[in-house]
Amino acid sequence: MEKEYLDEIPEHLLKANQAIALSYDGEKAPTLAAKGDNELAQAIIQLALQAKVPIYENAELTQWLSTLDLGDEIPQALYLTIAEILAFVYKLEGKEPEQQSKNQAKD
């Protein structure tokens, strides 16, 4: 079974040498949950793929976020950028952010 999984990883992801992971609870700003280079980056990517976590590729954003310490909230200057990525992920998964759903229910 593991062999089949590895065959499905896109080639360009196998060559990635840097990765970060964000954690978002819907209440506070997203935080840096993981970061790594080379082998650790590959481990982060493989865990994300195994867990079916969407992967967004942006080398410049990854480089910038990797300067944060683990557990740090993303800086306010990146709120809009990360919000757009999260909105795209929600759309891919057929979900709506909780706050939006609550506001629509009131109308």
Side-chain angles (χ1 to χ4, degrees):
M1 189 75 157
E2 188 70 21
K3 179 71 171 146
E4 289 177 25
Y5 165 74
L6 292 176
D7 289 344
E8 296 176 14
I9 298 175
E11 185 68 27
H12 64 280
L13 289 179
L14 290 172
K15 295 178 181 178
N17 60 5
Q18 189 173 45
I20 60 104
L22 297 177
S23 177
Y24 180 59
D25 64 7
E27 297 293 321
K28 299 178 186 174
T31 58
L32 185 66
K35 66 179 181 176
D37 297 316
N38 304 314
E39 289 179 15
L40 185 53
Q42 283 300 306
I44 292 167
I45 292 167
Q46 289 187 18
L47 285 171
L49 290 168
Q50 287 172 343
K52 298 185 191 260
V53 172
I55 295 175
Y56 178 82
E57 297 176 69
N58 183 318
E60 290 178 15
L61 183 60
T62 299
Q63 271 187 318
W64 202 95
L65 289 171
S66 70
T67 65
L68 301 175
D69 290 328
L70 293 178
D72 282 356
E73 289 186 352
I74 62 165
Q76 193 169 6
L78 290 178
Y79 282 7
L80 182 59
T81 300
I82 301 300
E84 289 173 352
I85 295 167
L86 289 172
F88 179 72
V89 169
Y90 277 119
K91 188 173 183 172
L92 282 177
E93 295 179 344
K95 297 179 183 176
E96 292 185 13
E98 269 188 49
Q99 187 63 37
Q100 184 179 2
S101 297
K102 287 178 185 174
N103 287 340
Q104 287 178 347
K106 291 178 183 178
D107 293 336

